[in-house]
Amino acid sequence: MYAASSSVSAPPRPLHRPAGGGPYLAPARPAAPVLGTGRPLRAAGPGPQPLSGRIDLSGPQGAQLRTAIAAVHRICPEFSPVQVLRRSGRSVLLVGTTGRSTAVAKCLLDHSPAWAERSRHEIAAYRSFVRHRPPVRVPRLIAADPDHGTLVIERMPGRAAALQRHPVHAPQRADIRAALGAICRLNGWRPPAGTFDAPLDYAARISRFHELGMLTDRDLGDLQKLLHGIAQAAGRQGMGQFCHGDALLSNILLSPAGPVLVDWEHAGWYLPGYDLATLWAVLGDAPLARRHISQIAQSAGPASRDAFLVNLMLVLTREIRHYETAVQRSLHDTAPAAPGTAHPGAAPTGEEQRLLLRRLHDDCQLARRAVRAAVGTR
């Protein structure tokens, strides 16, 4: 990071926070239920581990699954569901077979405008990749229905670079290197004009966080000054960068053939360094990786450095807001979750939650100092 980044002391170890994304992550325990015999099914050739599991179609949760499976069969009749990978109030992920291959079906349950738009955006991304292949590996699109929020893609072999959003222990250096290399290749790609839009309104997001009391008046002024300088630089050179938009390690699968990026709900044009800021934010236990990310972000000059700092402030503030909201929600929701329905992204509680929030606040203070130093150089 700019200025003060090299002087960061190691923060308290963050908690185990399972990732919210990634349709390829097996649940901590098998999701109960049954379609057919539940015998393991193996995909042809090398690939993920054999599938096994039983899908429970009883009760209200079973009714949701029946609806989701029917939606998948409308666009992919050969899909045979085998296991529930993840289920939340918003979507369900099913793994199954399509002939001799394995596939993942993502079905929207919450059809409110915001979530429906995210689903359409992801489907549009996969469709665009059929015509314009990015410089990273992505799952092949099998079938999709944007009107009903249903997506079927191939199940790629590999393991997630991390199973938690904020890994408790730093991943292996080789894994971080592979993930970072894939993100940098993607960020250097320029898809055809009009293929993707800009998912983030920076001025509106900064104003919103200020209204919520998460950014101070000085933060507001400093970030606006940096945005103004970046806009001036953009008049001289293109400042937009294509980003994954949710570059968590859990959304990067590592395989012998190379990294695979999944979950493209937020892909589009951002200020340079948005994906790098996301990786920096979740690698709290990997100071060397953070330093390397900061160096990459600064290597293109002051405007790119400033863009990275704006992105970092917004990403860290978003993470703080997410976890603080999750804590408030957990205080009002004491009912136990039904077996097999817990969302992998459920917020941790107690001491773990406190330590993660403390680390995020410390990181945000570090980013705030770097922003002020950058403003002082203008």
Side-chain angles (χ1 to χ4, degrees), residues 127-163:
R127 283 179 168 173
S128 73
F129 295 155
V130 174
R131 302 184 299 274
H132 311 290
R133 296 192 63 80
V136 295
R137 299 180 68 221
V138 300
R140 176 178 58 87
L141 175 66
I142 297 175
D145 178 1
D147 293 332
H148 295 89
T150 308
L151 172 67
V152 183
I153 53 178
E154 69 174 321
R155 188 185 190 218
M156 301 289 281
R159 58 180 177 82
L163 294 178

